[in-house]
Amino acid sequence: MSRAWDERGGCISVFSPRPLPVLRGNGRGLRRVTLGSGVGGCGRSAMLAALWAALRVYAVGVAVTMVQLLRRLRGGFRPPELPLQTDRVAIVTGATRGVGLSTACQLARLGMRVIVAGNDEHRGHEVVARIQEESGPESAHFLFLDLASLSSVRSFVRDFEATALPLHLLINNAGVMLDPRGNTKDGFERHVGVNFLGHFLLTSLLLPALRASGHQGRKSRVVTVCSSTHWVGQADVARLLGQSPAPCALAAYAGSKLALALFSLRLQRLLSALGDPVTANIVDPGVVDTALFAHAGWGTRAVQRFLGWLLFKTPDEGAWTSVYAAASPKLEGVGGRYLRDEAEAEVLGAARDLELQGHLWAESCRLTGAAWVAVGE
């Protein structure tokens, strides 16, 4: 019996000595490769690599939950105190569930007009009705956005521009983990396509609106939701973009979060160099009790079900750092920060590597067709 690894990092048992044809993502689409007994990437070495990568991600998760537990035992989490901001418009991706939903609700309570961006139209209109009931008829609107499709990203931006609304805040919140649906419509590995490249193109297309709405003393803001798992992402552009398959799906997820950190820090450098009235920051919500774990292993889901109330943050608690980054006067004009629990935290050193940032940036522009102004090193 031989074994092969599919594009999601799962192990396929093959009860035949014949080579196995597999479709594998290469960053631009799918290519057909033939895997057989003893071929590179298969067998014991591949299994060990996948196990090691998964263990590193789980180790980060355990460490974060222990920190959260200690904080809860010492008095818990408290929401940030923020002023009303009735003249601001925010887009929140993935705002129909989990942390994104809580973020949208909290921004609306501050008086902002929120664009609920998501790929479930029925659910999106339900969320808008809920927010409007609490915060007023003009507090929320739904626009369809499927980050797994670059065409949908472009359509979303056109739909937003048709509203003639200003844009002061972009919250890049949406994400997937261990999603079993395979590659995106554009052929990208799903974690890469949804978590990173979709947001990369979205930010590029919305930057003119953000620039137009910001000014010195009241800048627009881009807030990108990352994760502590970026610490174990592999700092290799081919891996980060799914052109070289990750050893397992958890490694691909961690890589997508490292890519977001690299992107956000590079974006802030670009904005500063051009003197733009826009800032970019990264936020880490922690381990939150949401549907993100729906496709995780039974052990993780069991912990979430029986101990999530103690170890995990609630969606509201997970959203507080995003809301803080979006609305705190203390962060006016401040960019390039990595924030956790409403305070600055350390980002992986590799995320500040200018050469790595530049390489990832250039390749992401090529893959998405995004047009960014270059900044000299």
Side-chain angles (χ1 to χ4, degrees):
M1 181 181 71
S2 61
R3 292 180 181 268
W5 291 86
D6 72 1
E7 71 275 9
R8 296 185 301 274
C11 188
I12 305 171
S13 296
V14 186
F15 295 92
S16 166
R18 292 179 298 173
L20 174 70
V22 177
L23 289 177
R24 176 170 287 167
N26 63 1
R28 293 287 292 178
L30 295 177
R31 59 186 174 88
R32 190 178 181 88
V33 297
T34 300
L35 301 178
S37 178
V39 178
C42 301
R44 182 174 299 176
S45 61
M47 294 176 67
L48 289 175
L51 177 61
W52 174 241
L55 286 174
R56 295 177 71 200
V57 174
Y58 279 120
V60 171
V62 169
V64 173
T65 55
M66 290 301 100
V67 171
Q68 293 180 180
L69 173 61
L70 288 174
R71 178 159 179 172
R72 197 173 297 286
L73 294 175
R74 292 173 178 172
F77 301 89
R78 293 180 175 83
E81 296 183 4
L82 300 168
L84 291 176
Q85 301 185 31
T86 56
D87 59 341
R88 308 280 271 179
V89 176
I91 290 175
V92 183
T93 68
T96 58
R97 290 179 175 81
V99 173
L101 170 58
S102 291
T103 300
C105 290
Q106 292 181 44
L107 292 178
R109 290 181 198 125
L110 292 176
M112 296 189 195
R113 177 178 288 192
V114 179
I115 305 299
V116 173
N119 62 2
D120 184 334
E121 191 162 359
H122 176 72
R123 174 70 177 166
H125 288 299
E126 287 182 342
V127 168
V128 166
R130 170 180 164 182
I131 295 174
Q132 288 178 341
E133 183 178 1
E134 180 183 2
S135 301
E138 297 300 317
S139 59
H141 310 272
F142 174 77
L143 290 178
F144 182 85
L145 171 64
D146 181 5
L147 287 163
S149 166
L150 298 182
S151 175
S152 178
V153 173
R154 295 181 186 278
S155 294
F156 170 85
V157 174
R158 288 193 295 269
D159 291 342
F160 174 74
E161 290 172 343
T163 68
L165 289 170
L167 180 62
H168 306 93
L169 298 166
L170 172 60
I171 315 293
N172 290 323
N173 166 84
V176 296
M177 184 175 74
L178 305 177
D179 193 308
R181 287 176 290 177
N183 288 13
T184 69
K185 296 174 183 178
D186 302 288
F188 302 120
E189 193 280 330
R190 186 161 289 271
H191 297 93
V192 175
V194 174
N195 297 358
F196 172 55
L197 289 175
H199 283 124
F200 182 90
L201 178 62
L202 180 67
T203 307
S204 166
L205 297 175
L206 289 175
L207 192 55
L210 289 162
R211 284 171 169 151
S213 301
H215 55 83
Q216 299 301 326
R218 197 74 189 279
K219 294 187 176 184
S220 298
R221 303 184 186 189
V222 178
V223 177
T224 297
V225 179
C226 192
S227 163
S228 294
T229 59
H230 86 275
W231 276 84
V232 294
Q234 187 167 347
D236 175 86
V237 170
R239 277 283 171 87
L240 293 176
L241 292 175
Q243 297 164 326
S244 174
C248 68
L250 282 172
Y253 173 77
S256 72
K257 293 302 181 177
L258 176 55
L260 285 170
L262 286 156
F263 157 67
S264 184
L265 293 173
R266 171 81 176 190
L267 174 60
Q268 179 57 47
R269 186 165 169 269
L270 165 71
L271 297 169
S272 296
L274 296 175
D276 281 338
V278 186
T279 60
N281 286 301
I282 311 164
V283 297
D284 180 351
V287 179
V288 187
D289 190 4
T290 69
L292 186 68
F293 298 97
H295 303 295
W298 66 266
T300 300
R301 286 183 282 114
V303 170
Q304 180 183 20
R305 179 177 180 181
F306 297 109
L307 293 174
W309 63 273
L310 179 64
L311 300 177
F312 293 16
K313 289 183 179 180
T314 66
D316 280 349
E317 291 169 344
W320 286 341
T321 303
S322 294
V323 175
Y324 174 79
S328 175
K330 295 179 181 179
L331 291 176
E332 176 56 47
V334 177
R337 302 294 194 270
Y338 183 90
L339 303 169
R340 183 191 305 120
D341 296 332
E342 301 83 66
E344 188 170 355
E346 287 298 320
V347 70
L348 180 67
R352 298 194 182 278
D353 185 314
L354 298 184
E355 183 176 355
L356 184 61
Q357 289 178 10
H359 188 186
L360 178 68
W361 189 279
E363 189 65 7
S364 300
C365 285
R366 183 183 71 82
L367 292 175
T368 64
W372 290 90
V373 177
V375 178
E377 299 298 342

